[in-house]
C-alpha cells in the first residue's frame, strides 16, 4: 500500500523540488512523476541542473526536448541543456540584428554572448517558457532543480531582471548577452506571478535528517518566501531506524538523525511535511523509484549479510601527506552535491595546517556550507567564502574608480546603471575566483567548490576569459600571460580532488565531471571515496544491503576511473568542528 503524501495531495500544475545537493531531489521528483502517471496523468519532468542525472535515474537517454519514458505511460522527461539553450539564444539575438550589420559587428555581439552569464540567462529563458505554459498538453510539470545556491539564483532572476529592465530603454551595454530580454519583459512578469501563485505552484524543500541540510532548508525557505514563493512543503528523505539495537553504527545514525530533527528550525516545523525512509539500494531505475513511495516493498530487496571487502585504498591522511610535500599550491575539491565535498575540503585544510602550513580555505558555493562544518578557530587557518554580494560591490567600486574616474556626472550615472545589472555578479565572482587562484603562488589555498553544474559554469567563464586574453595578446604582439585556466591546467600548481560516495549516481557524475575537466586539459589528481561502510563492521540489514552495492562502485572507481583513490570511512556522528576535522585528517 502506497503511503499518503502531502506533496501529491491535490497537486498543483507545477511542482518544484529544491534543496541541498545530495538530499534526493531527483529521486523524489522522479518518484512523484511516476506516481502521478500511474494515476493516469500526463507529466513532464524537467531538470534545470547543468549536471543532470535524470537519464541514469530513468534509464532513458534524454535531450532538451520532451522525451517519452518507456514503461511509464504519460511520462515525458527532458534536461534543460545550458549549452544548447545558449546556442539557440545566440541565434535568436543575432537574427534580430539589422540586415546591413557588418561581420565585425556580428562577431562583437557573438563574443558578448560567449560567457557563462549568457548560458545562465539562456537556461532561464527555457525555464520561463515552461512556466508560460508552452507545454499546455500535460497535466503537471515537475522541476528537478540544481542544488540550492544555483536554484536560488535562477529563481531570483525574474525580479532582478524585471527591476533592471524597468525604464531602461537606452540599451545598456551590459545587455549585450541579454538584448533579447527587453522584449520579453511581460513573459518575465508572467513567470514571476506563476511561481508565486499557490494555486499553480508548490515548492518542495527536500532535506536529509541532518543538521546542515535542515539549516540550509530553513535558509532556503526564508529566501524563497522573500521572493513570494510561500507555498512550501518539507520532505525529509533518508530517515533511518536501526533494527539491531546492539549495532553501534546503526544506533549512532538513528540517534544523530533524531537529534537533528528534534532541533529542527521553527520555520520548517510549521510546514506540512512528508518523511521517506533510507532504502537498502541505490535509487536508479523505475523499480527503485516506485519503492520510494511504497516502503513496505523494500523488505524483499534486503540481501543476506556480506563480508566487508578488504580495500587497499589509502586513507585521507596519505593524500594530505602527498599534498603537503609541495609546500604550496591550489587544491580544488569537486563533485556532485551531497557527497561531502565541504567536509573533505575542510579536513584537507586542517590536515595541512597540522603539518605546519598556513592555509586559506574558501568556497565558491553560493550556499556556503563551510560555516556549518568549520566551527572554531585554528592558528594558521583562514576561512572565508566568495560572497557574491560583497564581490559585486567591490567590483562596482573598482570599475567606478577606474573607468568612471574621468566621466562627468551623467556619464558616471550611466556607467553605474550598467553595473547594476544582475549580470555583473557573474563577472565579479569570476574576478574573485581568479584572485584566489593566484594566491596559491605563495601558500596553500583549498577551494570547496559548488556542486558540479555551478562549477562547470565557473570553469566556462575561466575558459572564455582565457580565450579573450589570448586573442588580445595575439593582436598586440609577443608577450607572456598566465591566465587562471593555465594555472588550473598546471599539475604542479593545482591538484583537483574529485569526491564521490560509493553509489552509482555520484560515481557516474564524478566520471562525467572528470571527462569535462580533461576536455579543458585539467587532469584530476585523485578521487576520495567518502562515507564508506566497508570498515564499520555494521550488521544492520539495510546498511548491509547498501554495503554490497558499495563494493561494486569502489571497484569501479579503482579499476576504471581514478588514477589515485583514497578512502574516508563513514562517521556515525558528522565531523563538525576543528577537533573532529583533526581526527579525520590525522595519520593512523
Amino acid at each position: 500500500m502506497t503511503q499518503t503524501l502531502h506533496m501529491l495531495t491535490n497537486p498543483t500544475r507545477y511542482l518544484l523540488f529544491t534543496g541541498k545537493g545530495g538530499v534526493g531531489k531527483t529521486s523524489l521528483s522522479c518518484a512523484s512523476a511516476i506516481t502521478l502517471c500511474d494515476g493516469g496523468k500526463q507529466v513532464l519532468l524537467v531538470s534545470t541542473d547543468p549536471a543532470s542525472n535524470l537519464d541514469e535515474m530513468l534509464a532513458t537517454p534524454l535531450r532538451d526536448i520532451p522525451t517519452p519514458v518507456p514503461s511509464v505511460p504519460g511520462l515525458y522527461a527532458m534536461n534543460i541543456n545550458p549549452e544548447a539553450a545558449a546556442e539557440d539564444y545566440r541565434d535568436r539575438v543575432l537574427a534580430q540584428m539589422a540586415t546591413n550589420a557588418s561581420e565585425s559587428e556580428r562577431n562583437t555581439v557573438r563574443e558578448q554572448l560567449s560567457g557563462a552569464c549568457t548560458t545562465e540567462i539562456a537556461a532561464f529563458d527555457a525555464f520561463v517558457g515552461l512556466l508560460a505554459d508552452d507545454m499546455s498538453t500535460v497535466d503537471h510539470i515537475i522541476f528537478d532543480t540544481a542544488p540550492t545556491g544555483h536554484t536560488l539564483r535562477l529563481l531570483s532572476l525574474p525580479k532582478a531582471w524585471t527591476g533592471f529592465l524597468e525604464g531602461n530603454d537606452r540599451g545598456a551595454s551590459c545587455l549585450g548577452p541579454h538584448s533579447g530580454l527587453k522584449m520579453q519583459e511581460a513573459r518575465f512578469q508572467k513567470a514571476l506571478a506563476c511561481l508565486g501563485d499557490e494555486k499553480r505552484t508548490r515548492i518542495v524543500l527536500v532535506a536529509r535528517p541532518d543538521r546542515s541540510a535542515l539549516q540550509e532548508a530553513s535558509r532556503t525557505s526564508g529566501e524563497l518566501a522573500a521572493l513570494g514563493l510561500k507555498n512550501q512543503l518539507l520532505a525529509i528523505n533518508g530517515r533511518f531506524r536501526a533494527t539491531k539495537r546492539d549495532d553501534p553504527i546503526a544506533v549512532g545514525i538513528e540517534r544523530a538523525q533524531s537529534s537533528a530533527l528534534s532541533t529542527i528550525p521553527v520555520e520548517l516545523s510549521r510546514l506540512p511535511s512528508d518523511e521517506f525512509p533510507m532504502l537498502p539500494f541505490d535509487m536508479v531505475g523505475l523499480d527503485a523509484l516506485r519503492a520510494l513511495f511504497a516502503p513496505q516493498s523494500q523488505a524483499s530487496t534486503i540481501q543476506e549479510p556480506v563480508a566487508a571487502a578488504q580495500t587497499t585504498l589509502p586513507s585521507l591522511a596519505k593524500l594530505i601527506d602527498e599534498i603537503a610535500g609541495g609546500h604550496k599550491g591550489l587544491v580544488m575539491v569537486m563533485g556532485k552535491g551531497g557527497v561531502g565535498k565541504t567536509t573533505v575540503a575542510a579536513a584537507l585544510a586542517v590536515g595541512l595546517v597540522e603539518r605546519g602550513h598556513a592555509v586559506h580555505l574558501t568556497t565558491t558555493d553560493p550556499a556556503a556550507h563551510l560555516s556549518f562544518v568549520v566551527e572554531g578557530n585554528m592558528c594558521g587557518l583562514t576561512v572565508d567564502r566568495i560572497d557574491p554580494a560583497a564581490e559585486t560591490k567591490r567590483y562596482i567600486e573598482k570599475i567606478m574608480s577606474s573607468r568612471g574616474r574621468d566621466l562627468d556626472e551623467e556619464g558616471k550615472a550611466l556607467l553605474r546603471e550598467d553595473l547594476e545589472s544582475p549580470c555583473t555578479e557573474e563577472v565579479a565572482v569570476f574576478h574573485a575566483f581568479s584572485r584566489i587562484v593566484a594566491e596559491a603562488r605563495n601558500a596553500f589555498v583549498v577551494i570547496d567548490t559548488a556542486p558540479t553544474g555551478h562549477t562547470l559554469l565557473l570553469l566556462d567563464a575561466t575558459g572564455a576569459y582565457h580565450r579573450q586574453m589570448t586573442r588580445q595578446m595575439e593582436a598586440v604582439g609577443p608577450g607572456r600571460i598566465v591566465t587562471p585556466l593555465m594555472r588550473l591546467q598546471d599539475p604542479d600548481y593545482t591538484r583537483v580532488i574529485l569526491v564521490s560516495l560509493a553509489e552509482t549516481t555520484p560515481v557516474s557524475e564524478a566520471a562525467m565531471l572528470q571527462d569535462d575537466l580533461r576536455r579543458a586539459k585539467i587532469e584530476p589528481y585523485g578521487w576520495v571515496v567518502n562515507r564508506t561502510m566497508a570498515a564499520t563492521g555494521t550488521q544492520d540489514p539495510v546498511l548491509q544491503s547498501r554495503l554490497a552495492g558499495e563494493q561494486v562502485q569502489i571497484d569501479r572507481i579503482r579499476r576504471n576511473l581514478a588514477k589515485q583513490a583514497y578512502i574516508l570511512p563513514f562517521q556515525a556522528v558528522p565531523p563538525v568542528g576543528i577537533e573532529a576535522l583533526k581526527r579525520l585528517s590525522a595519520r593512523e
Side-chain angles (χ1 to χ4, degrees), residues 74-247:
L75 177 58
Y76 300 83
M78 63 179 284
N79 295 315
I80 292 181
N81 184 321
E83 293 303 323
E87 185 61 32
D88 178 65
Y89 184 78
R90 276 190 287 270
D91 290 343
R92 282 186 283 134
V93 172
L94 288 167
Q96 296 170 16
M97 295 183 68
T99 55
N100 61 349
S102 69
E103 189 59 30
S104 175
E105 291 170 329
R106 289 182 175 276
N107 287 338
T108 297
V109 172
R110 191 173 285 109
E111 177 62 33
Q112 289 179 326
L113 297 171
S114 66
C117 196
T118 298
T119 303
E120 180 184 61
I121 293 301
F124 163 70
D125 193 46
F127 172 70
V128 167
L130 295 167
L131 287 174
D133 270 343
D134 287 356
M135 276 291 295
S136 57
T137 56
V138 299
D139 300 300
H140 301 282
I141 299 180
I142 297 178
F143 293 100
D144 169 36
T145 70
T148 309
H150 191 82
T151 295
L152 284 172
R153 168 73 178 165
L154 179 74
L155 295 180
S156 68
L157 284 172
K159 276 191 173 180
W161 280 109
T162 298
F164 177 71
L165 290 170
E166 283 178 354
N168 190 336
D169 296 316
R170 62 183 181 77
S173 62
C174 65
L175 283 182
H178 320 287
S179 53
L181 296 183
K182 178 66 178 175
M183 297 185 300
Q184 302 187 60
E185 192 169 352
R187 209 160 167 242
F188 277 27
Q189 296 284 10
K190 187 176 181 181
L192 189 60
C194 179
L195 289 170
D197 185 350
E198 63 180 24
K199 294 181 180 179
R200 288 189 285 169
T201 303
R202 178 174 296 165
I203 311 294
V204 181
L205 295 170
V206 186
R208 295 284 185 187
D210 66 63
R211 188 181 66 156
S212 67
L214 291 168
Q215 285 176 327
E216 182 163 327
S218 177
R219 184 173 65 181
T220 301
S221 176
E223 294 189 34
L224 290 172
L227 291 170
L229 312 182
K230 299 179 181 179
N231 190 23
Q232 301 173 13
L233 181 145
L234 178 65
I236 301 295
N237 189 32
R239 185 70 165 106
F240 177 78
R241 289 180 171 82
T243 56
K244 291 182 174 289
R245 306 312 301 181
D246 59 347
D247 188 321

Side-chain angles (χ1 to χ4, degrees), residues 247 249 308 533-540 544 547:
D247 188 321
I249 295 297
M533 289 283 178
T536 63
T538 181
Q539 295 300 306
D540 182 271
Q544 275 275 313
L547 180 58

Side-chain angles (χ1 to χ4, degrees), residues 378-560:
M378 184 180 192
C379 184
L381 178 64
T382 301
V383 183
D384 60 20
R385 72 184 184 102
I386 295 179
D387 181 341
E391 295 300 338
T392 300
K393 181 180 178 182
R394 183 206 297 243
Y395 179 76
I396 290 174
E397 290 174 351
K398 178 182 177 181
I399 296 300
M400 290 302 299
S401 64
S402 55
R403 285 170 50 190
R405 182 179 53 210
D406 299 325
L407 297 176
D408 58 21
E409 289 307 309
E410 182 180 1
K412 288 180 180 179
L414 292 175
L415 177 58
R416 184 170 289 278
E417 185 178 338
D418 277 1
L419 292 170
E420 291 301 322
S421 157
C423 185
T424 300
E425 182 180 296
E426 301 295 327
V427 178
V429 167
F430 168 70
H431 278 268
F433 172 71
S434 300
R435 186 174 65 246
I436 289 170
V437 168
E439 283 183 23
R441 291 175 294 178
N442 304 308
F444 276 115
V445 176
V446 178
I447 300 181
D448 166 34
T449 68
T452 306
H454 197 277
T455 296
L456 289 175
L457 290 177
L458 182 59
L459 292 176
D460 282 346
T462 306
Y465 177 78
H466 174 80
R467 291 189 296 273
Q468 179 185 355
M469 293 301 297
T470 302
R471 281 194 296 269
Q472 289 179 1
M473 288 301 296
E474 289 173 350
V476 300
R480 170 67 175 164
I481 60 167
V482 179
T483 66
L485 179 61
M486 293 166 68
R487 289 193 166 114
L488 298 184
Q489 292 170 334
D490 181 354
D492 294 327
Y493 191 95
T494 301
R495 287 181 172 86
V496 172
I497 307 299
L498 300 181
V499 182
S500 178
L501 303 181
E503 298 174 8
T504 304
T505 296
V507 172
S508 295
E509 186 162 319
M512 288 188 289
L513 174 57
Q514 180 165 263
D515 289 341
D516 286 328
L517 291 168
R518 284 173 172 168
R519 278 191 287 273
K521 296 182 172 57
I522 300 171
E523 182 61 36
Y525 180 81
W527 289 46
V528 172
V529 188
N530 192 23
R531 299 204 291 262
T532 61
M533 289 283 178
T536 63
T538 181
Q539 295 300 306
D540 182 271
V542 171
L543 300 181
Q544 275 275 313
S545 290
R546 295 186 67 87
L547 180 58
E550 179 181 282
Q551 292 172 191
V552 172
Q553 296 305 318
I554 291 176
D555 195 46
R556 175 186 173 194
I557 292 168
R558 184 176 53 193
R559 292 187 178 182
N560 304 322

